[in-house]
Amino acid sequence: MKITKIIEETKSISSNIKNAYIDFSKMTISLVAVVSDIIKNGKPIIGYGFNSNGRYGQGHLIRERFRPRLLEAKTETMLNEDKTNFDPQKMWDIMMKNEKPGGHGERSVAVGTIDMAIWDLVSKIEEKPLYQVLSEKYGNGNPNRDVFVYAAGGYYWPEQGIVGLTDEIKKYLDLGYSVVKKKIGGASLSEDCKRIEAVLKILGPNDRLAVDANGRFDLKTAIDYAKKLSNYNLFWYEEPGDPLDFELHKALGDHYSGSIATGENLFSLQDARNLIRYAGMRKDKDWLQFDCALSYGLVEYLNIIDMLKENDWDLSRCIPHGGHQMSLAIAAGLGLGGNESYPDLFQPYGGFPDEVKVSNSYITLPEINGIGFEGKSDLYSIMKKMTN
């Protein structure tokens, strides 16, 4: 049992959309395949992974540091105690050898991308869905395959207008979503309010709207928005300020009684812990959006979960960023509150297996070994080409 090769390809997910901070005209991701020498049905078992949108591909770091460390390591240092499978924690330790503490930037994305592929491989070797593996190892053995999902969209794009925005949101509602999200901070406060009010007019009585500023605001602007947003009964007000400005988040809580969501741009246990310690996050109403694909992978996410439990946070307050099947499996296996979804954007990497449908913002995960990529035909066709 060994890893024979690790393949990385940089893929484009470019589009003409913008949020309050960046456009996606040159956005890329890294797609990774971890190939084993274990043969099933005449083919090697392969684990796949990719990083979430918004942080670009990590090919150079993967090729220069993290792939060589795994390929140069002795096989026995990567196996579980029974020598029946690979051990993600041991492989993570190998990748992080000679890495100094701190500096939780792009390297966390490179490690998280490979880590995703490792967990896909490990659960395929066990011949189980990842959510089942996680539930058996870290939960009660009975995963909840019914997972809450919300539709993330409402970006700014050229010549969009109010009609273009509401047409987009209507499409998400027709797909079965009852919670939708749109961007703010890329226009004036008055224009953003017009966009919000236009969306609210087309929502049904049981539908909810979340808004996302992508970390754009200083404290004054965040408070100005909060005063206006307080009139709308939103699902949440997301990333109002810089992700590391914990004082801003704490101060904002005095001006906004609704739910605040943040965490997608915190890439380590240490940063997540500082958020809980210093940002005034409220256990009964706020949401945590840590994304394993950006934050050193599921191995580190499990450390973050342990920290949250130590601080008496309910895991149902965790709804990860990223819109991919890895976080779906984690939500089902570990009892998180749900997952982000991209019905149209960043395809084919977002979304669900082909037969999965959304009903009242819930989906039921199918029984597919691994993370479930093989059930999404457009995505799997790209993955297969990497190793053919």
Side-chain angles (χ1 to χ4, degrees), residues 101-165:
H104 305 298
E106 302 297 270
R107 77 174 182 195
S108 68
V109 184
V111 173
T113 301
I114 300 174
D115 178 89
M116 183 188 295
I118 290 170
W119 283 98
D120 188 41
L121 175 64
V122 164
S123 48
K124 286 174 179 174
I125 292 172
E126 289 200 24
E127 298 185 333
K128 297 175 182 177
L130 176 58
Y131 59 77
Q132 184 65 44
V133 172
L134 295 178
S135 182
E136 291 175 2
K137 189 172 180 63
Y138 303 103
N140 60 11
N142 296 305
N144 184 1
R145 291 166 54 197
D146 295 327
V147 179
F148 165 75
V149 291
Y150 70 90
Y155 287 75
Y156 302 95
W157 42 273
E159 301 179 2
Q160 176 193 46
I162 294 295
V163 173
L165 171 64

Side-chain angles (χ1 to χ4, degrees), residues 24-282:
F24 290 78
S25 59
K26 296 183 179 180
M27 187 58 58
T28 59
I29 65 167
S30 284
L31 180 61
V32 167
V34 176
V35 184
S36 75
D37 67 346
I38 303 171
I39 305 300
K40 183 178 179 180
N41 298 325
K43 297 180 180 180
I45 299 179
I46 302 171
Y48 297 101
F50 52 85
N51 62 279
S52 301
N53 67 82
R55 286 289 160 177
Y56 299 96
Q58 303 297 312
H60 183 75
L61 287 173
I62 290 171
R63 293 189 296 269
E64 181 185 70
R65 300 212 311 257
F66 302 111
R67 178 172 67 182
R69 289 172 188 167
L70 286 173
L71 293 178
E72 292 166 6
K74 294 181 180 180
T75 297
E76 56 265 27
T77 65
M78 297 188 284
L79 300 181
N80 62 13
E81 291 184 3
D82 298 331
K83 312 299 181 186
T84 57
N85 207 331
F86 297 99
D87 186 319
Q89 177 67 64
K90 291 181 179 180
M91 298 178 78
W92 192 92
D93 290 340
I94 290 168
M95 284 193 284
M96 290 298 292
K97 184 178 180 180
N98 284 338
E99 296 288 328
K100 290 178 67 176
H104 305 298
E106 302 297 270
R107 77 174 182 195
S108 68
V109 184
V111 173
T113 301
I114 300 174
D115 178 89
M116 183 188 295
I118 290 170
W119 283 98
D120 188 41
L121 175 64
V122 164
S123 48
K124 286 174 179 174
I125 292 172
E126 289 200 24
E127 298 185 333
K128 297 175 182 177
L130 176 58
Y131 59 77
Q132 184 65 44
V133 172
L134 295 178
S135 182
E136 291 175 2
K137 189 172 180 63
Y138 303 103
N140 60 11
N142 296 305
N144 184 1
R145 291 166 54 197
D146 295 327
V147 179
F148 165 75
V149 291
Y150 70 90
Y155 287 75
Y156 302 95
W157 42 273
E159 301 179 2
Q160 176 193 46
I162 294 295
V163 173
L165 171 64
T166 53
D167 283 349
E168 177 190 357
I169 299 300
K170 286 177 183 176
K171 181 164 53 176
Y172 301 154
L173 298 173
D174 290 342
L175 287 172
Y177 293 93
S178 60
V179 179
V180 296
K181 187 172 81 175
K182 69 172 296 297
K183 300 298 183 178
I184 59 173
S188 67
L189 175 54
S190 60
E191 179 62 26
D192 275 336
C193 286
K194 291 178 183 178
R195 289 163 54 87
I196 289 171
E197 289 164 8
V199 172
L200 291 174
K201 286 180 181 177
I202 65 172
L203 298 185
N206 297 316
D207 299 330
R208 299 289 302 279
L209 172 66
V211 298
D212 181 4
N214 288 103
R216 184 66 185 182
F217 302 147
D218 59 19
L219 179 58
K220 180 183 181 303
T221 308
I223 292 173
D224 289 344
Y225 266 80
K227 291 177 180 177
K228 292 290 187 180
L229 298 179
S230 295
N231 298 321
Y232 299 132
N233 188 29
L234 298 174
F235 192 72
W236 68 46
Y237 176 12
E238 180 175 338
E239 255 198 336
D242 186 282
L244 290 173
D245 192 344
F246 303 135
E247 186 64 31
L248 180 149
H249 287 85
K250 184 177 181 180
L252 185 62
D254 295 331
H255 300 271
Y256 188 69
S257 61
S259 297
I260 295 173
T262 192
E264 71 176 68
N265 288 299
L266 299 178
F267 298 156
S268 68
L269 165 64
Q270 292 79 10
D271 286 341
R273 185 170 58 208
N274 281 339
L275 178 75
I276 299 304
R277 283 175 173 173
Y278 305 121
M281 301 295 287
R282 300 159 296 185

Side-chain angles (χ1 to χ4, degrees), residues 288-327:
L288 305 173
Q289 300 173 299
F290 313 119
D291 179 346
C292 73
L294 302 181
S295 53
Y296 293 105
L298 176 54
V299 169
E300 183 79 334
Y301 197 89
L302 290 167
N303 294 330
I304 292 173
I305 283 178
D306 287 342
M307 178 273 296
L308 294 176
K309 290 178 178 178
E310 290 171 2
N311 286 275
D312 298 321
W313 273 80
D314 192 317
L315 297 187
S316 65
R317 306 309 297 180
C318 295
I319 299 183
H321 163 270
H324 44 68
Q325 290 170 259
M326 178 66 167
S327 289

Side-chain angles (χ1 to χ4, degrees), residues 358-369:
V358 183
S359 177
N360 194 28
S361 268
Y362 276 81
I363 63 165
T364 300
L365 289 180
E367 293 191 50
I368 301 173
N369 290 345

